Amino acid sequence: SKTLYYTNIGLNNIFGYSINRPLSNFHRSDVSFLVHQNSLPLIPDYTNKNIFFTRNRIRLKLIPNIRYFLNTNFDHHFWGYLELTNRQQKFLNNTMESILEGYCNSPESIKNMKKLPLVMQLECLHHLLKSYTLRQITTDHIIKLQSFLGFSD
C-alpha cells in the first residue's frame, strides 16, 4: 500500500493511496512552533485559500466572524471542546466494542438485542452480520434486517 503524508485531505483512501495525516491533531500554532524550532521547510497548500471548499469557508469566513462578533476566545474553547469530545468518543468506542464482543456474538443473541437502545441494536446486527459474510454490509441492510426482526426504539 502506498502512503501519502498529507495534512488537509479528509479521505482515508484516494486513488489507491492511503492518506496519513500525522499533524491533523495539532493546532496550527503548535505546527508553526515545531517548524520554527526544527528549521523545517514549510510548503503551503495552494488549496487552503480556495473558499470553494467548505472547510476553507468555515476556516476563512465563519470562524473569524465568530471570533469578532461572539467570542475572542473561540479557538481556546473550541479546541477544549474537541479534546473533550475525542476522549468521550474513545470511551464510547471502547464500551461499544466490549458490548459487541460480549453481547452480540451469536445468532442466539438476537432475541436479547431488543432490550438494547436502537443505535446499539443496529451496531449489534452489523457486528453479527460481518462475522457471517464477506459482502459489504450497508446501513440499508441493517435497517431492513432490524425492521424484519421487529426491533424498535
Side-chain angles (χ1 to χ4, degrees):
S1 173
K2 308 164 201 159
T3 301
L4 296 177
Y5 289 92
Y6 207 70
T7 61
N8 68 349
I9 289 184
L11 303 173
N12 289 331
N13 190 301
I14 185 166
F15 302 118
Y17 289 86
S18 63
I19 306 298
N20 187 339
R21 301 180 66 205
L23 303 177
S24 64
N25 290 328
F26 292 94
H27 189 272
R28 177 183 293 256
S29 61
D30 297 329
V31 174
S32 295
F33 176 78
L34 290 171
V35 165
H36 179 72
Q37 285 296 108
N38 295 291
S39 302
L40 298 171
L42 187 59
I43 303 168
D45 179 357
Y46 68 92
T47 66
N48 281 340
K49 301 222 184 286
N50 186 342
I51 61 170
F52 171 78
F53 298 107
T54 302
R55 64 182 164 81
N56 291 339
R57 282 196 306 277
I58 291 169
R59 190 171 47 81
L60 298 172
K61 301 289 184 187
L62 180 62
I63 292 176
N65 281 315
I66 291 172
R67 278 189 209 115
Y68 182 79
F69 291 109
L70 300 176
N71 190 337
T72 56
N73 292 320
F74 173 77
D75 294 49
H76 172 73
H77 295 299
F78 184 72
W79 283 99
Y81 171 76
L82 285 179
E83 185 178 319
L84 175 64
T85 56
N86 281 333
R87 283 196 314 263
Q88 291 172 337
Q89 188 62 53
K90 285 178 185 175
F91 169 77
L92 291 172
N93 289 347
N94 290 337
T95 302
M96 181 67 84
E97 194 58 38
S98 295
I99 290 169
L100 291 176
E101 291 301 322
Y103 200 82
C104 310
N105 52 10
S106 70
E108 293 79 34
S109 62
I110 289 177
K111 63 182 173 219
N112 294 321
M113 285 183 206
K114 290 184 179 185
K115 299 174 186 173
L116 297 173
L118 178 62
V119 68
M120 293 181 82
Q121 291 175 15
L122 297 175
E123 286 297 323
C124 229
L125 289 171
H126 184 261
H127 182 77
L128 194 56
L129 282 177
K130 275 192 337 186
S131 65
Y132 287 96
T133 184
L134 296 175
R135 291 188 63 200
Q136 178 71 30
I137 307 297
T138 67
T139 303
D140 193 44
H141 292 130
I142 302 301
I143 291 172
K144 285 178 182 174
L145 180 58
Q146 182 211 24
S147 176
F148 175 77
L149 293 172
F151 288 11
S152 62
D153 51 344

